[in-house]
Amino acid sequence: MALFASPKKNVAGTPEQPRFEELGCPAFASLVEKMDADPERKYHVLDLEAASGNHIEFFSRFRCRYHIGDVLQVLSYLEPPEPEEPAPDFNLILPLHMKNKLDLILVWDGLNYLDKALLPGFSEHLLRKCNPGAWVHAFVYTRGDMPAKPVSFDILSSSTMRRSLGEGATAAPCYPQRVLENLMPGFRSVQSRLLKNGVQEYLFQVQ
């Protein structure tokens, strides 16, 4: 087996480029502005994506303890329990043993991959480890299809991100704001922005 492979080529013989899309993120920009306004505060941040040097580098501008969840792909495989079966144990799926409570959770597109029967338990698990006023930032797909698995994001600036378009497609739950708030007791939407690509950007806050 070869250790290195040549880049894949399309029918024209030119290397195929990874598919990415840039998207504005005004709710994230307002969050960064709030954090910038209090430079002496120390923040505890949980990123549910796999470890990303891009994310860590961006948040290094703050006095910040950065925790890696690396749980999004696992969440996408969870199925709602059958009657009389126990619900998934989020304490095992996402152990939150950090000493301090959290001020910010970066969910990226993870909420789209949790069935509505699982969202209340997941949000309750997060809520128990949040400080009062903590934020949750998330992207929710509002059109019929979404990537088959959670995709990766890169922060280009406080107001712009780049996301991979992923492979395959599956039906998106297209959760409306009111439904999400009902499924995430303890959190309320403080900002909701529909981006031009049909992705809804949310900033939730602990009530």
Side-chain angles (χ1 to χ4, degrees), residues 11-41:
V11 292
T14 57
E16 291 184 355
Q17 299 299 319
R19 297 190 306 148
F20 295 99
E21 177 185 47
E22 287 192 16
L23 64 161
C25 45
F28 184 77
S30 69
L31 169 63
V32 172
E33 185 178 355
K34 290 181 176 71
M35 295 174 72
D36 275 331
D38 193 0
E40 298 304 314
R41 179 177 173 182

Side-chain angles (χ1 to χ4, degrees), residues 141-170:
Y141 299 112
T142 64
R143 295 176 180 170
D145 290 335
M146 65 182 186
K149 298 296 177 186
V151 301
S152 61
F153 288 80
D154 288 316
I155 305 172
L156 303 180
S157 71
S158 62
S159 59
T160 310
M161 295 191 191
R162 180 177 62 192
R163 70 176 179 119
S164 64
L165 297 183
E167 297 182 359
T170 188

Side-chain angles (χ1 to χ4, degrees), residues 166-183:
E167 297 182 359
T170 188
C174 301
Y175 293 124
Q177 178 175 329
R178 183 172 297 179
V179 170
L180 273 177
E181 289 183 325
N182 288 337
L183 293 174

Side-chain angles (χ1 to χ4, degrees), residues 12-169:
T14 57
E16 291 184 355
Q17 299 299 319
R19 297 190 306 148
F20 295 99
E21 177 185 47
E22 287 192 16
L23 64 161
C25 45
F28 184 77
S30 69
L31 169 63
V32 172
E33 185 178 355
K34 290 181 176 71
M35 295 174 72
D36 275 331
D38 193 0
E40 298 304 314
R41 179 177 173 182
K42 185 171 183 179
Y43 294 94
H44 293 269
V45 179
L46 172 63
D47 187 340
L48 296 189
E49 198 176 345
S52 165
N54 170 270
H55 301 171
I56 294 170
E57 180 181 2
F58 181 85
F59 280 93
S60 67
R61 65 198 286 178
F62 304 107
R63 297 182 67 242
C64 179
R65 177 66 62 89
Y66 204 86
H67 306 275
I68 305 298
D70 190 12
V71 75
L72 293 187
Q73 299 300 323
V74 175
L75 295 182
S76 71
Y77 286 105
L78 295 181
E79 297 286 346
E82 297 293 333
E84 300 182 4
E85 285 187 351
D89 187 347
F90 288 109
N91 287 301
L92 297 177
I93 296 168
L94 178 62
L96 298 177
H97 299 319
M98 62 281 292
K99 180 179 179 181
N100 298 94
K101 290 196 171 185
L102 299 166
D103 302 297
L104 170 61
I105 302 173
L106 301 166
V107 179
W108 309 107
D109 61 348
L111 297 181
N112 300 275
Y113 298 90
L114 274 173
D115 186 270
K116 64 181 180 181
L118 302 178
L119 267 171
F122 180 65
S123 65
E124 181 182 356
H125 177 60
L126 297 179
L127 185 65
R128 286 195 293 266
K129 200 63 181 180
C130 284
N131 279 316
W135 299 293
V136 171
H137 182 268
F139 293 106
V140 172
Y141 299 112
T142 64
R143 295 176 180 170
D145 290 335
M146 65 182 186
K149 298 296 177 186
V151 301
S152 61
F153 288 80
D154 288 316
I155 305 172
L156 303 180
S157 71
S158 62
S159 59
T160 310
M161 295 191 191
R162 180 177 62 192
R163 70 176 179 119
S164 64
L165 297 183
E167 297 182 359

